[in-house]
Amino acid sequence: MKEDEKQFLRMIYEKCVPFGNKNYSVRDVINNPKCPIVSYKRAWYVLGKWSSAKMGLYDYGVTIDLGWLTEKGIDFAKNNET
């Protein structure tokens, strides 16, 4: 996983996971000017890669940028904090 992807994962974990925050979505993280992934198309690609059966870090219903981290994704984000 590239460094910008790790930072993106950490941002999603910090903003969306604690206390089941319903007021902040992955889309909000992507639109944040401090997001390490500049292009929304790159962000969608990364989210698609994470949601693959091989990685299983992310899941979504209808729209890829309104999904959530899986348990595996949460554990991965926790273990890769710096």
Side-chain angles (χ1 to χ4, degrees), residues 61-81:
V62 176
T63 307
I64 197 164
D65 60 346
L66 292 176
W68 55 91
L69 291 176
T70 62
E71 290 296 321
K72 184 177 177 181
I74 292 170
D75 291 339
F76 190 84
K78 283 181 188 177
N79 294 331
N80 288 310
E81 287 184 285

Side-chain angles (χ1 to χ4, degrees), residues 2-67:
K2 294 182 180 179
E3 189 58 38
D4 65 338
E5 295 177 20
K6 290 179 185 177
Q7 291 174 353
F8 185 44
L9 180 65
R10 274 187 239 119
M11 280 188 84
I12 293 172
Y13 174 73
E14 290 169 1
K15 298 288 185 182
C16 303
V17 172
F19 312 111
N21 191 349
K22 302 290 183 198
N23 297 323
Y24 215 88
S25 68
V26 175
R27 182 177 288 170
D28 295 326
V29 172
I30 294 169
N31 292 330
N32 185 337
K34 295 181 181 177
C35 183
I37 296 185
V38 179
S39 167
Y40 69 91
K41 289 183 180 182
R42 167 106 168 100
W44 288 349
Y45 168 78
V46 169
L47 294 173
K49 182 172 111 175
W50 291 349
S51 66
S52 70
K54 183 179 177 183
M55 291 196 79
L57 302 177
Y58 185 78
D59 200 5
Y60 63 97
V62 176
T63 307
I64 197 164
D65 60 346
L66 292 176

